[in-house]
Amino acid sequence: QVQLIESGGGLVKTGDSLRLSCVGFGRSFEGYNMAWFRQAPGKEREYLGDVSGNGRHIYYNDSVKDRFTIFRDMSKNAIYVEMNDLKPEDTALYSCAAGGYGDNWNVYNWWGQGTQVTVSS
């Protein structure tokens, strides 16, 4: 069974930093792009960024590129997002995905269940 499992979410304060992890199980994701998305209540799913299948190319949503860093560890079959200077508007369910590319969530084949991030003011 192929799974993506996220971790690292929680309740933090404005200005805090947080690192989310997403580890793949059941298959290797080498050769497949992996991505992060988030969805806040009542809002559409938002693309944060993705990393190419070889881990060498990283793409960001302009809205987060100054505060978020996305990277992969190919040896761990994992993708991470380092989030700095968090704001209440970053509160959302953060999910990783694999097997697609770019900002269209519809094209990704595999999804994790998500990890909740809540930023208090």
Side-chain angles (χ1 to χ4, degrees):
Q1 182 181 4
V2 178
Q3 289 184 298
L4 292 169
I5 299 178
E6 301 96 336
S7 61
L11 175 63
V12 296
K13 298 179 180 178
T14 296
D16 283 353
S17 298
L18 203 59
R19 177 184 288 190
L20 306 182
S21 304
C22 168
V23 181
F25 298 92
R27 71 160 300 134
S28 170
F29 289 100
E30 186 171 355
Y32 292 94
N33 282 33
M34 295 183 77
W36 282 101
F37 289 81
R38 68 184 179 185
Q39 188 166 21
K43 294 188 176 182
E44 294 186 354
R45 191 172 301 181
E46 180 184 22
Y47 164 83
L48 302 180
D50 68 302
V51 184
S52 63
N54 60 12
R56 295 176 184 173
H57 305 285
I58 307 173
Y59 308 94
Y60 288 96
N61 184 329
D62 286 345
S63 68
V64 299
K65 66 178 182 179
D66 292 335
R67 298 186 296 121
F68 291 10
T69 301
I70 296 174
F71 57 99
R72 286 178 73 166
D73 186 333
M74 307 301 285
S75 69
K76 295 182 179 179
N77 211 28
I79 185 172
Y80 306 87
V81 57
E82 183 83 31
M83 305 184 293
N84 298 311
D85 190 25
L86 284 163
K87 308 173 187 301
E89 50 265 40
D90 294 317
T91 294
L93 182 69
Y94 286 70
S95 300
C96 66
Y101 57 91
D103 61 359
N104 184 356
W105 64 269
N106 266 315
V107 302
Y108 285 85
N109 293 324
W110 297 283
W111 286 86
Q113 293 297 309
T115 185
Q116 178 67 36
V117 173
T118 303
V119 185
S120 64
S121 57

